[in-house]
Every structure is written in structure tokens, then in C-alpha cells.
Amino acid sequence: MAKTRFPGFPLELLHFLDELSRHNNREWFQANRPRYEQALLEPALAFIEAMTEPLEKISPHFCAIPKRSGGSLMRIYRDVRFGKNKRPYKTNVGIQFRHEAGRDVHAPGFYFHISIDEAFLGVGIWRPDSQALGKIRRAIDNHSADWKNVCQNRTFRKRFERRGESLKRPPRSYSADHPLLNDLRRKDHIAIYPLEHDTLLTPSIVPETARGYRTGRTYMQFLCDALGLKF
């Protein structure tokens, strides 16, 4: 089968997100739904399709699913039931190439993000449940040399910045003087690879994304091994 060539995201996508941030209401969105379809939805699905083969080469256990709902593209509609922010729409494009064993955004995944303020790739696992987080902490503690080799790799550190929230105190059963306490305190294990907005608009965004994911491959593999997932 021939490779799917992706021409890049349209500049209109950034214009749409900018205007949505200033007119975040249902009336404006409904009036501009054709722009949403043409500038965001269709290009995002085409990008996901184009990433199928590169992702397969990195790991066959992460899924690129180009569906309007229930696939790799995250919903633009915000869940406003529990938060203070009642704006109904997200003002970013979020794509998660999730592990085949995962059911939601808390699964290990390769991530892709576009907003007006920033664009980036992500690798890791965001806000895992307590059981999964406990497994990751035990793996870091029991295989500390391997973990340090992953996180201190020169290319990884040059490209990626680790982010996420952390506990203020040491997690239960770990001492305050543990040499890897900062990592054990993490509630998220995610690493971010920044992208230039100009790159989004060209066909090079697909190989650039694949290159970033390859750089984060050993980080992802450690997390998957910790959770007993295939990589």
C-alpha cells in the first residue's frame, strides 16, 4: 500500500483556534462548524492516517485511529460538569496515539498538541491511577540504573523536558533521602518535545513527529515494562 502523504496543517487551523479562544460559545461554533470541519477535523484525521506507518515502526502496540470520535483525535468538546471553567470548547488540537491496552487518556501514549501558544509532542503517561503509579515507582526503585540511563540520555535530555505534577512529600514507603525522590514524587510521567508552528504547516511535520517519538522510545518502553505492557 502506498504511503499516505500529509501536506501539513493549514494556516487556517491557527486562525480558527485563535478566533475560537475569543468566541468560545455554542452560537459562534455552530456558525463556524464548516471551518472546524475543513481546518481542524479533516487535517487532523489525515495526519493520524499518515502517522500509522511511522508509529508501527516505533512500536506495533500503539494505535493510530483516524476516526471522528472514539479514535486518536481527542474531542473538542470540554466536560464542563465538574470544573470552574465553563467554556464549552477546547482551544487546542489534542491527538493521543494510545497503547492498545489503554481505555482512556490515562493510558501510556504518544501525544501531539497544537494551540496558539505552543505546539509539542509528548511521550509518557498522564495522571495514572494509584495502582499503575505504584508499579512505576517500584520499577524506578528496583531498576534505578536503567531509569537513570533513560532519563539522562543526552539526546533525550536535549529534545525533551519532563513535566507534570508531583507530591509535596515522599510517597508512602519511600524515604525522604531516596536518591531518586524527585522521580518517585511524580504524579505524571510525561516528557514534552517542542515544535515550531511553522513546521506544522509543511509535510515535514510527519517525519519530525516520528523522529521525536523515536527519541522518546526508551522512556516509553521503561514505563510500559513497569506496567507489564508489551512494547
Side-chain angles (χ1 to χ4, degrees):
M1 185 174 68
K3 292 183 179 179
T4 301
R5 180 171 174 80
F6 180 68
F9 289 91
L11 181 60
E12 175 63 16
L13 168 60
L14 300 179
H15 293 160
F16 175 81
L17 293 176
D18 180 46
E19 292 182 39
L20 178 60
S21 69
R22 291 184 280 112
H23 306 283
N24 199 320
N25 59 74
R26 289 177 176 84
E27 292 76 17
W28 185 91
F29 187 83
Q30 290 303 322
N32 287 271
R33 179 173 284 279
R35 292 178 63 198
Y36 162 71
E37 296 270 345
Q38 295 168 15
L40 191 158
L41 184 60
E42 293 174 6
L45 295 179
F47 172 75
I48 293 167
E49 178 71 27
M51 283 299 302
T52 301
E53 185 174 337
L55 192 65
E56 173 77 16
K57 292 178 179 179
I58 295 168
S59 169
H61 301 289
F62 289 83
C63 305
I65 305 173
K67 294 171 57 178
R68 294 172 69 96
S69 62
S72 300
L73 179 63
M74 301 172 76
R75 287 165 47 89
I76 196 170
Y77 307 100
R78 297 185 61 256
D79 186 345
V80 300
R81 292 174 298 171
F82 307 112
K84 293 181 180 179
N85 185 349
K86 299 302 181 181
R87 285 153 59 97
Y89 303 104
K90 300 173 185 174
T91 55
N92 68 276
V93 178
I95 294 170
Q96 188 190 35
F97 301 111
R98 192 177 303 159
H99 193 280
E100 62 190 4
R103 292 176 294 176
D104 56 29
V105 296
H106 306 288
F110 293 93
Y111 182 66
F112 183 87
H113 180 98
I114 302 174
S115 70
I116 293 299
D117 297 328
E118 62 178 347
F120 60 82
L121 311 178
V123 295
I125 182 168
W126 177 76
R127 211 54 51 85
D129 62 31
S130 58
Q131 183 178 12
L133 192 55
K135 290 180 179 180
I136 294 170
R137 286 173 177 154
R138 286 191 293 274
I140 292 172
D141 187 32
N142 294 334
H143 305 284
S144 57
D146 292 339
W147 176 248
K148 286 189 286 187
N149 285 338
V150 168
C151 296
Q152 294 176 7
N153 175 271
R154 182 179 299 178
T155 304
F156 180 77
R157 292 181 63 188
K158 181 179 179 181
R159 298 284 186 174
F160 281 92
E161 174 191 357
R162 288 195 288 158
R163 294 186 189 176
E165 295 188 10
S166 295
L167 297 171
K168 293 183 178 180
R169 299 178 180 275
R172 185 177 300 177
S173 78
Y174 295 100
S175 66
D177 61 353
H178 194 290
L180 293 175
L181 180 62
N182 286 341
D183 289 329
L184 295 173
R185 288 171 51 238
R186 290 183 180 273
K187 293 191 286 185
D188 307 304
H189 285 278
I190 53 177
I192 301 303
Y193 176 117
L195 295 169
E196 296 290 337
H197 280 88
D198 287 349
T199 307
L200 302 173
L201 310 180
T202 72
S204 65
I205 187 56
V206 170
E208 178 71 11
T209 300
R211 183 161 46 249
Y213 290 164
R214 283 195 300 271
T215 302
R217 186 181 188 279
T218 54
Y219 182 78
M220 288 293 294
Q221 184 163 10
F222 186 98
L223 295 174
C224 286
D225 289 347
L227 296 171
L229 299 175
K230 293 180 179 179
F231 192 91

